[in-house]
Amino acid sequence: MTTIIDGKVAAASVIETVTSTAAALEREAGVKPGLAVVVVGNDPASHTYVNSKSKMAKQCGFNSVQHSLPEETTQEELEKLVAELNADPAIHGILVQLPLPKHLKSEPVIQSITPEKDVDGLNVVNAGKLATGDLGTGLISCTPAGALILINRIHGTDLSGLNAVVIGRSNLFGKPMAMLLLSSNATVTMAHSRSKDLPGICRGADILVAAVGRPNMVKADWVKPGATVIDVGINRVPAPEKGEGKTKITGDVAYEECAEVAGAITPVPGGVGPMTIAMLMANTVVAACRSLGRPVPKF
Ligand code: GUN
C-alpha cells in the first residue's frame, strides 16, 4: 500500500509548536514575533501566496505586516523599505515575494536583507551556512526544510545508504534541498533540464524530489518501485471538467500513475505546500527567539 504523505497534518504539528512558542515569548518577554511580507506588482499568484502567509502569521499570534507595493516601484524604493525593516526591532523576519516585476533586480534586494531576518534562507550567509553543514545557527529555505520533515516521517532522520535525486537546481529550492539531504547522509544527485537521461537518473532514486514547474512531468516509469516521491510543483492548469475556463493546481508528478509504483508520495495540493507556510512561521519564531537570546524550538 502506498503511503500518502499528508502535509496538512505535518504542518499543523509545526504550527502548534510555533503558536505555543510565540505565546510564551509574548507572556515572558512581552514580544510578539514580527513578520514583514513584501509583494511588488500585480501578479495574482504572488498576492494569493502572500495573503496566506500574512493570514497564517496572524493565526500564530505574530505581528504580521504586509507591504503591497505598486508595479512601478523602483529598485531604490524597494531597497529603502528593506533597510527600514532591517532596522525595525519589532520585525524579526522579512520576506520579499519572488518573482519581482521584470524591471527590478531581485538579487541585490535579497542580499540586502539582514541574515538574521532572512526567513527565506536566501542570503549568501544563510545559504553558505547550510552548504558548510551548519544547520544550527542560520535560517533554511522554507520549502526544502518542510520537504525534509516529510521525508523524515518516512525514513527517519538518518538517510545513510539511500539515493536521493532532486530535479531542479534553484537557490530557493533545489540547492538547499540537496544540501539538507546530504547533511542527512543521503547520496545526492542534482538533476536538471540539461541532465542526460532524466528518467534513468530518477529510476535510481530511493527518494525522488521534483521541483521543475512542469505539470505531470515525472511519469510512473521514472519511479523506482517503493520509492518516496516528493512533489514540490505548484502548476495551474486548465480543468475543463470543472467547467468552462476553470483551472486547478497540479504538481510536477503524474500523481495517479506514480502513486501505483511509489512507496510513499505527496499529493498536490496538500503535500509540500502547507509545509512551506508552516516553516516560514517556524523560521520567524526562531529568529525572534534568537534576537532575545532565548532557546529555539525544534521542528
Ligand atoms: N515565490 C515562490 N515561493 C517563494 C518563497 O518561498 N519565497 C519567496 N520569497 N518567494 C517565493
Side-chain angles (χ1 to χ4, degrees):
M1 260 289 284
T2 310
T3 302
I4 313 297
I5 306 172
D6 191 335
K8 293 194 289 276
V9 169
S13 142
V14 171
I15 291 296
E16 200 178 304
T17 305
V18 168
T19 307
S20 61
T21 309
L25 271 183
E26 191 169 8
R27 198 171 53 241
E28 293 161 20
V31 172
K32 272 188 182 200
L35 174 64
V37 179
V38 181
V39 60
V40 187
N42 310 315
D43 179 51
S46 286
H47 277 269
T48 306
Y49 294 140
V50 159
N51 290 341
S52 8
K53 289 168 184 176
S54 299
K55 192 169 147 209
M56 181 59 87
K58 281 198 195 90
Q59 273 177 32
C60 291
F62 290 5
N63 169 28
S64 171
V65 183
Q66 187 171 323
H67 292 269
S68 300
L69 305 183
E71 181 79 25
E72 58 275 12
T73 301
T74 64
Q75 189 82 28
E76 292 68 33
E77 285 166 338
L78 181 55
E79 289 182 20
K80 182 167 171 279
L81 173 61
V82 170
E84 283 163 12
L85 296 169
N86 279 340
D88 185 345
I91 296 299
H92 305 96
I94 303 169
L95 180 143
V96 177
Q97 186 69 18
L98 301 174
L100 290 172
K102 283 206 170 54
H103 68 282
L104 295 173
K105 293 193 198 79
S106 55
E107 207 47 28
V109 177
I110 297 300
Q111 299 309 332
S112 75
I113 299 173
T114 194
E116 290 77 15
K117 297 189 180 188
D118 166 38
V119 281
D120 256 333
L122 285 171
N123 187 288
V124 290
V125 171
N126 287 317
K129 284 184 176 182
L130 177 59
T132 51
D134 172 1
L135 304 186
T137 72
L139 291 165
I140 298 172
S141 185
C142 306
T143 307
L148 184 71
I149 290 179
L150 299 182
I151 293 167
N152 292 157
R153 288 199 156 207
I154 303 297
H155 295 280
T157 53
D158 183 1
L159 308 179
S160 295
L162 296 174
N163 291 326
V165 172
V166 181
I167 323 175
R169 52 175 164 174
S170 66
N171 290 337
L172 193 58
F173 184 79
K175 285 176 196 162
M177 185 76 252
M179 292 304 153
L180 284 172
L181 290 163
L182 196 57
S183 286
S184 307
N185 303 319
T187 303
V188 183
T189 303
M190 291 187 74
H192 47 80
S193 56
R194 305 290 179 94
S195 298
K196 197 167 150 188
D197 187 19
L198 200 47
I201 295 171
C202 293
R203 271 192 294 274
D206 302 298
I207 299 166
L208 176 59
V209 186
V212 273
R214 305 232 331 243
N216 305 322
M217 187 177 90
V218 175
K219 307 294 186 209
D221 64 356
W222 296 31
V223 177
K224 178 176 173 175
T228 296
V229 178
I230 306 290
D231 189 350
V232 184
I234 302 178
N235 308 292
R236 190 165 283 283
V237 296
E241 71 278 10
K242 288 167 66 183
E244 204 188 311
K246 296 280 184 200
T247 60
K248 64 176 179 186
I249 297 292
T250 191
D252 292 344
V253 174
Y255 179 81
E256 301 294 340
E257 58 179 80
C258 290
E260 286 180 16
V261 185
I265 188 165
T266 60
V268 177
V272 175
M275 292 304 286
T276 297
I277 292 201
M279 296 317 289
L280 175 63
M281 303 303 133
N283 275 349
T284 306
V285 90
V286 163
C289 288
R290 286 187 185 144
S291 79
L292 296 162
R294 293 170 59 99
V296 301
K298 286 250 177 313
F299 293 99

